[in-house]
Amino acid sequence: MILNKNKFHLHELAITGTRSDVKDFFLNNLIKVLKTDYQVYLAREIEAEYFIDQKLKAIDYDFTIIDSALGFESNNKNIVFIENINPDLHNKNILAYITLTKSISPFINGIPCFHHEDLVQISQFIINHFLDEAKRIPLNALILTGGKSSRMGQDKSQIKYHNQSQVQYLTDLLRQKCQQVFISCRTDQTPNLEAPVIYDKFLNIGPTGGILSYFQEYPFTRVLVIACDMPFINLDSIQNLISKIDPFKMATAYENFDKKWPEPLFTIYHPKSQARFFQLLAAGHTCPMKLLFNSTIKKITTDNKLLLLNGNTPEEMQNFKSLLMDQFNE
């Protein structure tokens, strides 16, 4: 799955076929049905100079439907709107046919065929396609260890809250739920870890630099980002976050119990978040919280007041160790 410069969106398909009043009526009604549950961007033929502007707008939507009157699009999956079945249209990139004739077979050469008035069935077919597509995007994990730990006075990733270094504890948990686990480090760090390391390529912009450095190497994945100084994260909280993924949003994040804002350092970022990060950097914003506040995201709540706490000082470290001991003894 490649999001190249000629694509609007990671999740998109084209409705091809000559522009007509019937096709326009069909598309407008299809979008209305889809919009009952999803945010859909309808891209019609536009001038080349406006393409980038339209593409940047589209990333906030769940998926994009392209109304193409230019014929078959080889770089996209296509639903072909036709009046008569033409055997020459058979192509591996055709998902379905839309016809004006109800008497035509429900399958043509093994490809589903719908009547243009079957809007509910067509919309569900499209949604299922995007859901299946989203399931194929790998989920990796990135543990952020690049902070300088100046207030703590020692490397926070090496603190032993659970009888092993925090970074190793998180690595062991994440390997149970994610395909690959990576450690994010500064270029001047020399970690001795079993997990592969991704060194910062974007410097002096905090956690955003680590996230973008990851996406430079694995752009078409989603990534579960965790800060190394959050000792109350456990396997259940990781599984809960993963189970609540909305694959079409910019990110899936826990909501802070007290402040009611999303926590950027225990969040799953989806591939299209890269574009939003770069937009924010261009505007002078380096904090990933800005992405969560300025994007369409899925927020999930927790009753655990301790879950999202992070330790920055020796006093907080000792307090957290005491709280964890109390939890263990309960």
Side-chain angles (χ1 to χ4, degrees):
M1 182 182 299
I2 298 176
L3 182 59
N4 59 41
K5 64 181 180 180
N6 295 317
K7 289 179 72 70
F8 268 94
H9 197 284
L10 189 68
H11 302 293
E12 66 178 50
L13 62 81
I15 308 290
T16 61
T18 304
R19 176 68 62 81
S20 67
D21 290 342
V22 176
K23 185 186 176 190
D24 286 347
F25 185 76
F26 161 75
L27 268 173
N28 290 333
N29 284 296
L30 176 66
I31 296 300
K32 288 179 183 177
V33 175
L34 289 169
K35 281 185 175 179
T36 59
D37 296 305
Y38 294 92
Q39 297 185 57
V40 185
Y41 188 85
L42 177 60
R44 298 189 185 274
E45 293 175 58
I46 58 175
E47 298 295 330
E49 58 264 31
Y50 298 117
F51 180 84
I52 293 177
D53 177 60
Q54 296 294 310
K55 183 175 180 181
L56 291 174
K57 289 179 181 177
I59 63 173
D60 270 317
Y61 290 77
D62 295 337
F63 44 78
T64 294
I65 303 295
I66 299 174
D67 175 15
S68 174
L70 302 178
F72 188 78
E73 294 200 358
S74 60
N75 293 325
N76 259 319
K77 295 296 185 181
N78 290 254
I79 291 179
V80 183
F81 193 94
I82 52 176
E83 295 189 28
N84 297 293
I85 290 297
N86 182 348
D88 294 335
L89 287 174
H90 181 63
N91 186 290
K92 65 180 180 180
N93 282 341
I94 293 180
L95 291 177
Y97 296 113
I98 308 295
T99 73
L100 303 182
T101 307
K102 286 190 175 183
S103 59
I104 290 178
S105 168
F107 290 93
I108 304 295
N109 294 324
I111 296 173
C113 185
F114 300 95
H115 184 256
H116 69 98
E117 293 179 351
D118 296 333
L119 293 169
V120 173
Q121 295 93 319
I122 295 168
S123 64
Q124 192 58 57
F125 177 83
I126 290 172
I127 291 166
N128 288 341
H129 163 71
F130 285 127
L131 288 172
D132 289 342
E133 189 177 60
K135 288 176 183 177
R136 295 195 293 272
I137 300 176
L139 172 64
N140 292 334
L142 182 71
I143 304 172
L144 301 174
T145 70
K148 295 185 177 180
S149 305
S150 55
R151 284 183 289 169
M152 184 64 75
Q154 60 177 300
D155 186 344
K156 290 190 287 187
S157 70
Q158 297 303 310
I159 295 173
K160 294 184 178 180
Y161 290 107
H162 304 275
N163 297 319
Q164 60 183 152
S165 71
Q166 181 65 3
V167 68
Q168 191 61 57
Y169 167 76
L170 291 173
T171 300
D172 291 345
L173 292 182
L174 291 164
R175 280 177 172 159
Q176 299 178 55
K177 299 297 179 181
C178 301
Q179 290 183 244
Q180 296 187 79
V181 179
F182 299 93
I183 310 298
S184 171
C185 293
R186 302 188 314 273
T187 54
D188 62 339
Q189 288 177 283
T190 54
N192 182 20
L193 301 166
E194 294 182 10
V197 171
I198 295 178
Y199 288 104
D200 288 347
K201 300 180 180 67
F202 299 83
L203 306 180
N204 303 315
I205 56 173
T208 295
I211 297 169
L212 284 175
S213 298
Y214 165 84
F215 274 129
Q216 285 285 294
E217 297 193 32
Y218 301 93
F220 307 113
T221 64
R222 56 175 64 102
V223 59
L224 197 167
V225 171
I226 296 186
C228 68
D229 58 358
M230 302 174 74
F232 296 100
I233 290 174
N234 54 29
L235 193 62
D236 287 342
S237 60
I238 292 170
Q239 174 58 39
N240 186 47
L241 181 63
I242 293 172
S243 70
K244 301 292 175 56
I245 281 178
D246 186 329
F248 303 124
K249 303 304 182 188
M250 201 75 70
T252 302
Y254 271 104
E255 185 177 73
N256 185 287
F257 184 86
D258 294 317
K259 298 176 181 177
K260 303 303 180 185
W261 61 39
E263 169 52 58
L265 302 186
F266 187 25
T267 286
I268 296 171
Y269 291 93
H270 302 295
K272 64 181 180 177
S273 66
Q274 300 164 76
R276 179 51 44 81
F277 273 121
F278 283 120
Q279 283 180 304
L280 292 169
L281 286 177
H285 300 292
T286 61
C287 177
M289 180 74 78
K290 292 291 185 180
L291 180 142
L292 301 183
F293 274 130
N294 292 278
S295 306
T296 55
I297 69 168
K298 170 71 175 291
K299 288 192 291 186
I300 62 175
T301 58
T302 175
D303 294 329
N304 185 350
K305 295 183 179 182
L306 301 177
L307 178 64
L308 303 178
L309 295 180
N310 65 307
N312 291 304
T313 66
E315 293 75 19
E316 288 175 338
M317 175 184 67
Q318 292 302 325
N319 182 42
F320 289 173
K321 285 185 176 182
S322 297
L323 289 170
L324 287 164
M325 184 61 69
D326 291 341
Q327 286 183 351
F328 179 78
N329 291 328
E330 287 180 356

